[in-house]
Amino acid sequence: MVVTHPFHPLRGQRLRVLAGRWRKGRLTFFCDAEGVRVSLPQDWTDRGPEPSAEPVSAESLTALRALLDRLDPPAFDESAAESSACRSTTSTDEGGS
């Protein structure tokens, strides 16, 4: 099995699989890395799904934000916060020392 995760220190290395187990809903492999036992999720190996060339796009992030806003409307109103910040700055400046 080959490690494919782009940031894993063993990326590109072929490892011998000792065992595989389902953990927390995903397949994890236990491998021998030159005498050291390492565990790797299937997605981080050549046995996982092919990574997308463009995993995140502006459109997908915008769609995700819209969905999240519908599920849980924001409790923080940015315009009210800006107005409040302006008032507190003004009152501090006017009250000065």
Side-chain angles (χ1 to χ4, degrees):
M1 177 183 70
V2 178
V3 180
T4 58
H5 190 281
F7 304 114
H8 196 283
L10 299 175
R11 181 176 186 240
Q13 292 187 29
R14 182 170 298 279
L15 306 177
R16 183 170 61 101
V17 177
L18 303 172
R21 291 207 177 94
W22 285 94
R23 295 171 66 181
K24 299 179 182 177
R26 63 193 229 187
L27 181 57
T28 299
F29 293 110
F30 298 92
C31 306
D32 176 42
E34 298 181 12
V36 177
R37 184 176 168 179
V38 296
S39 61
L40 295 164
Q42 179 183 22
D43 293 351
W44 293 11
T45 73
D46 62 341
R47 296 184 184 181
E50 284 293 318
S52 174
E54 189 176 324
V56 179
S57 66
E59 293 80 17
S60 64
L61 289 174
T62 301
L64 176 60
R65 177 59 191 248
L67 174 64
L68 292 174
D69 286 346
R70 284 193 303 261
L71 294 174
D72 186 20
F76 181 74
D77 181 4
E78 291 178 16
S79 61
E82 289 173 8
S83 174
S84 174
C86 289
R87 283 195 303 271
S88 69
T89 302
T90 305
S91 64
T92 304
D93 293 343
E94 291 172 355
S97 30

